[in-house]
Amino acid sequence: MLLYVYLIAITAEAMSGALAAGKRNMDLFGVALIAFITALGGGTVRDILLGNFPVGWTQHPGYIYLTIGAGLFTMLVARFMHHLRQLFLLLDAMGLIAFTVIGCDVALKLGYPLPVVVMAGVITGIFGGILRDILCNRLPQVLRHELYASVSLLVALLYLSLRHLGVDEDLNLLASFAAGLVLRLAAIRWHWSLPVFSYAPGRWNG
Amino acid sequence: MLLYVYLIAITAEAMSGALAAGKRNMDLFGVALIAFITALGGGTVRDILLGNFPVGWTQHPGYIYLTIGAGLFTMLVARFMHHLRQLFLLLDAMGLIAFTVIGCDVALKLGYPLPVVVMAGVITGIFGGILRDILCNRLPQVLRHELYASVSLLVALLYLSLRHLGVDEDLNLLASFAAGLVLRLAAIRWHWSLPVFSYAPGRWNG
Amino acid sequence: MLLYVYLIAITAEAMSGALAAGKRNMDLFGVALIAFITALGGGTVRDILLGNFPVGWTQHPGYIYLTIGAGLFTMLVARFMHHLRQLFLLLDAMGLIAFTVIGCDVALKLGYPLPVVVMAGVITGIFGGILRDILCNRLPQVLRHELYASVSLLVALLYLSLRHLGVDEDLNLLASFAAGLVLRLAAIRWHWSLPVFSYAPGRWNG
């Protein structure tokens, strides 16, 4: 089950990368590269940080084709994408949760301490989007808008807590996805966001 | 032969990094660092992604001196560089091709699947320039202008095809360089570029 | 002794990251993440470049809590920070020196050649700040303002020279900190900086 959700997730992330590249008037190659990095960059950063070689996608060339294909396909259908906006946000939320759970699992298997496991989940969830925004020369959106990175953090904590309590894996996945989706979609619907820190040093304290 | 081309390549890339740093009014240290990263960053990203430690330049300290030296030298001669613009573009194109072929070779030796070998070649070719542009806070030029990243991709595909067909290595290198140079220089001369994807969501679809 | 200085250092760096995030109106999560990356990013980049796994902080979860805590604490006290500006600059300078010395030690233990050891020291010293600035979508400050990266370089060279001469480790640390602090604080006081390279190609030479 998680594999199918993962394939949907990297497809949705690749499409979000392609749209960001389109906003910057990138060429075909730029669209393909940013789609690829948005979809698989989070897992890549996690694998490198954890010393987990070979990096995941290098053993699954199909993921390369899928994400690049999704990016190029997005160029063709971009003009119709706003009709699918609701669906797209749903898939993106499912991707965020799937990435988070998979990231935790990888770090758990490698025997890292619990706080590192949580960070591995969150990094897998959000770093694709952060790399996308760095390449598109804009501030990381995931650190500023409606609850997004926080959903990843809460899903990681919930998933690991239920796991610690011995809850059946399938049930755990179901609960984590349900809680994460409800939280993320509610955040979009009612514009929930974290407090913002605005620091504007005056002239006298530079 | 490839070694000499490689040394010319990292020198040319270091100089392009120094010029980009100069456009941002960086200090001496910034120029040296960005020259170094532009020249050796592509190979570094490749080695890290492939888990190929120790990273190349750490075993050849001479490369550090060469790239930093080339960067600082560029500060002295920058005012005359526009007289050498043609030569510089030629060296840069040779560098792109050399990096691509070397990147493919490294991934081949490590036994990675073919699509990963192609990506290793392209990443070695273009990521130095991408890191340069990220550090200089601008959009990656290689994803927007005349054919550049695509030259790297086509060279990788040609080189690996000829290799697969059993063509002699020297002949293969010659053919790959010839084809890549012709394509890149023609792209510069006649402003060939890939189709651009421009996506500007309207007010009503965010 | 070095451990205490290190803990002070990552706290000061985390606070500088939080302030930078506040200038960009990031949310709570963004502040925490950028504090963490500013404090521990330099060492992380060094460990990855040197193939030194597991990466340092993954074995010391306390560092994660400390840096995130320092980042969030900064949100509360930011309005009073300008009263502590002098202290903050002093702690930041101590951090730069501590990071540099620790970075050299790590590369030495792994048997890397001397130029790579120097680079490992400098990268540990300055890359946290560079990653902070990339995430905040601004030019790396450490490559443009008063002597900063150069202090890291000179400290690395002094520390390794004294070590080579057989000077006692404690005495060496004392001398390296003294020299580094004097140089950095003098640079701030009298606005010492490196020559700047300004390159503005005319319309005719692109």
Side-chain angles (χ1 to χ4, degrees):
Chain A
M1 205 278 288
L2 200 52
L3 175 65
Y4 288 107
V5 178
Y6 177 73
L7 294 178
I8 293 171
I10 60 177
T11 305
E13 296 307 313
M15 295 179 80
S16 101
L19 292 179
K23 285 181 194 162
R24 291 295 196 234
N25 304 312
M26 300 241 179
D27 68 20
L28 208 83
F29 195 102
V31 171
L33 186 73
I34 290 179
F36 169 77
I37 291 177
T38 306
L40 299 173
T44 303
V45 170
R46 175 205 63 220
D47 281 343
I48 291 174
L49 279 175
L50 302 183
N52 185 34
F53 297 104
V55 167
W57 57 265
T58 65
Q59 306 305 298
H60 300 92
Y63 297 174
I64 304 177
Y65 298 130
L66 176 61
T67 53
I68 289 178
L72 298 180
F73 177 72
T74 305
M75 291 175 68
L76 300 177
V77 299
R79 70 181 63 185
F80 312 113
M81 291 280 295
H82 60 278
H83 295 303
L84 303 169
R85 190 169 155 74
Q86 306 298 325
L87 175 64
F88 189 71
L89 285 172
L90 179 68
L91 296 182
D92 180 69
M94 288 180 65
L96 177 66
I97 301 166
F99 282 179
T100 303
V101 168
I102 291 169
C104 290
D105 278 345
V106 170
L108 275 174
K109 250 177 232 155
L110 294 168
Y112 277 96
L114 209 64
V116 178
V117 172
V118 173
M119 293 211 67
V122 174
I123 287 169
T124 310
I126 69 172
F127 249 80
I130 289 179
L131 291 177
R132 174 198 66 205
D133 291 340
I134 290 174
L135 286 168
C136 290
N137 198 21
R138 64 181 190 184
L139 280 172
Q141 305 297 305
V142 302
L143 307 179
R144 309 202 327 147
H145 285 179
E146 292 99 354
L147 296 189
Y148 190 91
S150 341
V151 173
S152 175
L153 177 61
L154 291 175
V155 165
L157 293 175
L158 175 64
Y159 175 71
L160 293 169
S161 303
L162 293 181
R163 200 175 183 284
H164 183 73
L165 295 172
V167 172
D168 172 74
E169 177 75 11
D170 284 349
L171 195 65
N172 189 348
L173 281 177
L174 210 69
S176 299
F177 266 89
L181 276 178
V182 166
L183 182 60
R184 172 71 184 138
L185 296 179
I188 294 172
R189 177 73 186 75
W190 290 289
H191 299 288
W192 292 348
S193 59
L194 288 181
V196 162
F197 174 38
S198 293
Y199 176 63
R203 209 181 270 169
W204 54 89
N205 58 24
Chain B
M1 206 280 285
L2 199 54
L3 175 65
Y4 288 107
V5 179
Y6 177 73
L7 294 178
I8 293 171
I10 60 176
T11 306
E13 296 307 311
M15 295 179 80
S16 101
L19 292 179
K23 284 182 195 162
R24 292 297 197 233
N25 305 311
M26 300 241 179
D27 68 20
L28 209 84
F29 196 102
V31 171
L33 186 73
I34 290 179
F36 169 78
I37 291 177
T38 307
L40 300 173
T44 303
V45 171
R46 175 205 64 219
D47 282 342
I48 292 173
L49 279 175
L50 302 183
N52 185 35
F53 297 102
V55 167
W57 58 266
T58 64
Q59 306 304 298
H60 300 94
Y63 296 174
I64 303 177
Y65 298 129
L66 176 61
T67 53
I68 289 178
L72 298 179
F73 177 71
T74 305
M75 290 174 69
L76 300 177
V77 300
R79 70 181 64 182
F80 312 114
M81 291 279 296
H82 60 279
H83 295 303
L84 302 169
R85 190 169 155 75
Q86 307 298 323
L87 175 64
F88 189 72
L89 285 173
L90 179 67
L91 297 182
D92 180 70
M94 289 180 64
L96 178 65
I97 302 166
F99 282 178
T100 304
V101 168
I102 292 170
C104 290
D105 279 346
V106 170
L108 275 173
K109 250 177 234 155
L110 294 169
Y112 277 96
L114 209 63
V116 178
V117 171
V118 173
M119 292 211 68
V122 174
I123 286 169
T124 311
I126 69 173
F127 249 81
I130 289 179
L131 291 177
R132 174 197 66 207
D133 292 340
I134 290 174
L135 286 168
C136 290
N137 199 20
R138 63 181 190 184
L139 280 172
Q141 304 298 304
V142 303
L143 307 178
R144 308 202 328 145
H145 286 179
E146 292 99 354
L147 297 189
Y148 190 92
S150 341
V151 173
S152 176
L153 176 61
L154 291 175
V155 165
L157 294 175
L158 176 63
Y159 175 71
L160 293 170
S161 302
L162 293 181
R163 201 176 182 283
H164 184 72
L165 295 171
V167 172
D168 172 73
E169 176 76 10
D170 284 349
L171 196 64
N172 189 348
L173 281 177
L174 210 67
S176 299
F177 266 89
L181 276 178
V182 166
L183 182 61
R184 171 71 183 137
L185 296 179
I188 295 171
R189 176 73 185 77
W190 289 290
H191 298 289
W192 292 350
S193 57
L194 289 179
V196 161
F197 173 38
S198 292
Y199 176 64
R203 207 181 273 170
W204 54 88
N205 59 24
Chain C
M1 207 277 288
L2 200 52
L3 175 65
Y4 288 107
V5 179
Y6 177 73
L7 295 178
I8 293 171
I10 60 177
T11 306
E13 296 306 313
M15 295 178 80
S16 102
L19 292 179
K23 284 181 193 161
R24 292 298 197 232
N25 304 313
M26 300 242 178
D27 67 21
L28 208 85
F29 195 103
V31 170
L33 186 74
I34 290 178
F36 170 77
I37 291 177
T38 306
L40 299 173
T44 303
V45 170
R46 176 205 64 220
D47 281 343
I48 292 173
L49 279 174
L50 302 182
N52 185 35
F53 297 103
V55 167
W57 58 266
T58 63
Q59 306 305 298
H60 300 93
Y63 296 174
I64 304 177
Y65 298 129
L66 176 61
T67 54
I68 289 179
L72 298 180
F73 177 71
T74 305
M75 291 175 70
L76 301 177
V77 300
R79 70 182 64 185
F80 313 113
M81 292 280 296
H82 60 279
H83 295 303
L84 302 170
R85 191 169 155 73
Q86 307 298 325
L87 175 65
F88 190 70
L89 285 173
L90 178 69
L91 297 182
D92 180 70
M94 289 181 64
L96 177 65
I97 302 166
F99 282 179
T100 304
V101 168
I102 291 169
C104 290
D105 278 346
V106 170
L108 275 174
K109 250 177 233 155
L110 295 167
Y112 276 96
L114 209 63
V116 178
V117 171
V118 173
M119 293 211 65
V122 174
I123 286 169
T124 311
I126 68 173
F127 250 80
I130 289 179
L131 292 177
R132 174 198 64 204
D133 292 340
I134 290 174
L135 286 168
C136 290
N137 199 20
R138 63 182 190 182
L139 280 172
Q141 305 297 305
V142 302
L143 307 178
R144 308 203 326 147
H145 286 178
E146 293 99 354
L147 297 189
Y148 189 92
S150 340
V151 173
S152 175
L153 177 61
L154 291 174
V155 165
L157 294 175
L158 176 64
Y159 175 71
L160 293 169
S161 302
L162 293 181
R163 200 174 183 285
H164 183 72
L165 294 171
V167 172
D168 172 74
E169 177 75 11
D170 284 350
L171 195 64
N172 189 348
L173 281 177
L174 209 67
S176 299
F177 267 89
L181 276 178
V182 166
L183 183 60
R184 173 70 184 139
L185 297 178
I188 294 171
R189 176 72 185 76
W190 290 290
H191 298 289
W192 291 350
S193 58
L194 288 180
V196 162
F197 174 38
S198 292
Y199 176 64
R203 211 180 267 170
W204 54 89
N205 59 24

